[in-house]
Amino acid sequence: MTSPLDAAGRSLEDYPRPSVAVDTAVLTVEDGQLCVLLVRAADADDATAWRLPGTFLHPGEMLSDAVARSLRDKAGVTGLRPQQLRVFDDPQRDDRGWVLSVAHLDVVRADRIPTTARIRLAPAADVPELPFDHRDIIDVAVEALQKRYEASPDPFELMEPAEPDGSFTLRELRLTHESVAGRRLPPDTFRRSMRAELVETGRLSHGRRGKPAELYRRRTD
Amino acid sequence: MTSPLDAAGRSLEDYPRPSVAVDTAVLTVEDGQLCVLLVRAADADDATAWRLPGTFLHPGEMLSDAVARSLRDKAGVTGLRPQQLRVFDDPQRDDRGWVLSVAHLDVVRADRIPTTARIRLAPAADVPELPFDHRDIIDVAVEALQKRYEASPDPFELMEPAEPDGSFTLRELRLTHESVAGRRLPPDTFRRSMRAELVETGRLSHGRRGKPAELYRRRTD
DNA sequence: CTAATAGTGTCTATTAGACACTATCAC
DNA sequence: GTGATAGTGTCTAATAGACACTATTAG
């Protein structure tokens, strides 16, 4: 890599640079509750051992790749679509030094999170004390997630499909959205607002109590 | 500053770090048109000389402070409220090396921008060719600005006050919003949607053609 | 007077929520 | 049958846009 000089006659290497980290709030739904994934750090005392998974950005790496790497290495979770939230840049936020953190949101089905002693899910509405500004990151992530779910049907595919072909009933979709929103949603209004983005399969869901429900699929366009 | 060791036994200084820059799309309205401020770089050939003002983040500095510093030093503009947009992180985006850019939006009245040979305003809808990903930054900034203006009356105070006490007519407010939105806005609907966030002064604007208009002020709560 | 601008009344279409009602299943 | 769930009809309130109408000024 070349090191051209700037207007002051110095190259990039002559300026101090910050460490850049990514920290990710991985949100999921477990037992109808919106939860965030925490990992137990090895190099910390017990009080601040649990935190969001994160890592330092490697040379030449995209932020989204760093997120994917940290989630794979620290939580055994793969195949996600990280969404950038914002940079946390308080110079005092990390007592190890000058560290910027680019906060991310990611979402995964709970059954794809391995169960180990170093991983735990905490209800997003009631997280324990966390180091750095990880609590703020979670708040921003939850807000971003709820906004996405107001606009489209289960955009992160949190819903566990009851049907083998991936189709679902409006009830299943609504329960997922209720978990994300943290409140009940009126069934009739929910149906009408989501139906424009769904296609009927023509098949029905049987085996449960009550009238069989139509099975829908997401619109593919 | 101490340099504690991490899990791998290395301190932060042992890892390569990126340069972190801020680049800011300073938007303004001139002659009823939404414009972006460009500065002429000294260390570039003519084709890519014009660009968004930016700078490298200094140690211990907040991003918003770096934005304020770059705008003061490069464009002679002060007193703004930068809003973070997002990080541009393509490893190839800057051929000088590994440089992340945190894009920002800021807004200033055109009469507060000095006129020099190193500064120019370009219509946001028709910017010239720009280096790096500065064109993308402008697009994101314009979108963010338009969204803010849909929700509240001139939140960045772009409007040039005709009255010495800062009050204004709904026509003046609407013309400012039309410049930002890039299209005409229906006067009656605009009035009704903005009135909840305004307070009447009880005074009237005289001296122009037509019926005198009521003078309003922004709600202070 | 006329042209221009300010401001209001009101109609329509759309939407979210509320609520009642019918439909169809398990049991 | 009963109870539960699915789905629809429809009323209301709120809202944006369209459009007509009145009000008040400059010139």
Side-chain angles (χ1 to χ4, degrees):
Chain A
M1 182 176 294
T2 62
S3 295
L5 304 185
D6 70 2
R10 286 173 290 184
S11 77
L12 287 183
E13 285 76 21
D14 292 329
Y15 293 97
R17 282 161 287 167
S19 299
V20 173
V22 293
D23 286 307
T24 308
V26 176
L27 299 179
T28 192
V29 168
E30 192 183 49
D31 300 330
Q33 211 175 16
L34 188 61
C35 292
V36 60
L37 183 151
L38 302 178
V39 297
R40 189 180 180 83
D43 62 330
D45 51 63
D46 273 6
T48 59
W50 291 103
R51 56 184 62 174
L52 297 181
T55 188
F56 287 104
L57 188 62
H58 287 183
E61 192 179 39
M62 300 276 288
L63 291 165
S64 57
D65 293 330
V67 169
R69 176 169 56 77
S70 73
L71 297 185
R72 174 166 42 78
D73 294 352
K74 302 204 173 176
V77 174
T78 59
L80 306 185
R81 300 174 305 185
Q83 174 184 329
Q84 201 187 100
L85 296 174
R86 69 181 190 84
V87 183
F88 286 81
D89 64 333
D90 183 346
Q92 263 75 55
R93 63 177 292 281
D94 191 325
D95 54 21
R96 290 173 298 178
W98 186 23
V99 181
L100 302 184
S101 171
V102 186
H104 285 76
L105 159 68
D106 219 328
V107 185
V108 67
R109 282 223 314 273
D111 59 12
R112 296 190 46 203
I113 298 174
T115 48
T116 78
R118 311 189 69 78
I119 297 176
R120 115 185 214 216
L121 291 180
D126 182 32
V127 292
E129 189 164 348
L130 295 177
F132 313 111
D133 32 28
H134 286 186
R135 202 169 201 150
D136 297 329
I137 295 177
I138 294 171
D139 290 344
V140 175
V142 167
E143 207 171 326
L145 181 68
Q146 291 176 338
K147 200 162 191 174
R148 298 268 309 247
Y149 269 73
E150 278 171 25
S152 47
D154 192 24
F156 286 103
E157 305 185 21
L158 268 177
M159 188 172 35
E160 310 200 15
E163 300 292 319
D165 67 347
S167 63
F168 49 85
T169 66
L170 272 163
R171 174 190 172 78
E172 289 155 5
L173 182 65
R174 178 170 50 84
L175 291 176
T176 300
H177 279 246
E178 287 178 350
S179 300
V180 170
R183 62 188 177 90
R184 302 294 301 273
L185 300 173
D188 48 2
T189 303
F190 180 79
R191 155 184 302 274
R192 282 186 263 246
S193 68
M194 286 298 161
R195 224 176 145 172
E197 311 207 39
L198 301 175
V199 284
E200 302 180 27
T201 63
R203 294 184 301 106
L204 297 177
S205 164
H206 286 276
R208 267 162 284 182
R209 193 175 277 203
K211 177 176 173 175
E214 290 184 57
L215 287 166
Y216 293 87
R217 213 186 295 279
R218 291 180 184 79
R219 259 183 33 192
T220 48
D221 63 42
Chain B
M1 183 176 295
T2 62
S3 294
L5 304 186
D6 69 3
R10 287 173 292 184
S11 77
L12 287 184
E13 286 75 19
D14 293 328
Y15 294 97
R17 281 161 287 166
S19 298
V20 174
V22 292
D23 286 307
T24 307
V26 176
L27 300 179
T28 192
V29 168
E30 192 183 49
D31 300 331
Q33 210 176 16
L34 187 61
C35 292
V36 60
L37 183 151
L38 303 178
V39 298
R40 188 181 181 83
D43 61 332
D45 50 64
D46 274 6
T48 58
W50 292 102
R51 57 185 61 175
L52 297 181
T55 188
F56 287 103
L57 187 63
H58 287 183
E61 190 179 41
M62 301 277 286
L63 291 166
S64 58
D65 293 331
V67 170
R69 177 169 54 78
S70 72
L71 298 185
R72 174 167 42 79
D73 294 352
K74 302 203 173 179
V77 174
T78 58
L80 306 186
R81 300 174 304 185
Q83 175 185 329
Q84 201 188 101
L85 296 174
R86 69 180 188 84
V87 182
F88 286 82
D89 64 335
D90 183 345
Q92 263 75 52
R93 62 177 292 281
D94 191 327
D95 55 21
R96 291 173 297 176
W98 186 23
V99 181
L100 302 183
S101 170
V102 186
H104 285 76
L105 159 68
D106 220 328
V107 185
V108 67
R109 280 221 317 271
D111 59 13
R112 296 190 47 202
I113 298 175
T115 48
T116 79
R118 311 191 68 79
I119 297 176
R120 110 184 219 217
L121 292 180
D126 181 32
V127 291
E129 189 164 348
L130 296 177
F132 313 112
D133 32 28
H134 286 185
R135 203 170 199 149
D136 297 329
I137 294 177
I138 294 171
D139 291 343
V140 176
V142 167
E143 206 171 327
L145 181 67
Q146 291 176 339
K147 199 162 191 176
R148 297 268 310 246
Y149 269 73
E150 278 170 25
S152 46
D154 192 25
F156 286 103
E157 305 186 22
L158 268 176
M159 189 172 35
E160 310 199 15
E163 299 293 320
D165 66 349
S167 62
F168 49 85
T169 66
L170 272 163
R171 173 190 174 77
E172 289 155 5
L173 182 65
R174 178 169 51 83
L175 290 176
T176 300
H177 279 245
E178 287 177 350
S179 300
V180 170
R183 62 187 178 91
R184 304 294 301 274
L185 300 174
D188 47 2
T189 303
F190 181 79
R191 156 185 301 275
R192 281 186 263 244
S193 67
M194 286 298 160
R195 223 177 146 171
E197 311 206 41
L198 300 174
V199 284
E200 302 179 26
T201 63
R203 295 183 303 105
L204 296 178
S205 163
H206 287 276
R208 268 162 283 182
R209 190 174 279 203
K211 177 175 174 177
E214 289 183 57
L215 287 166
Y216 293 87
R217 213 186 295 278
R218 291 182 184 76
R219 258 182 36 191
T220 48
D221 63 42

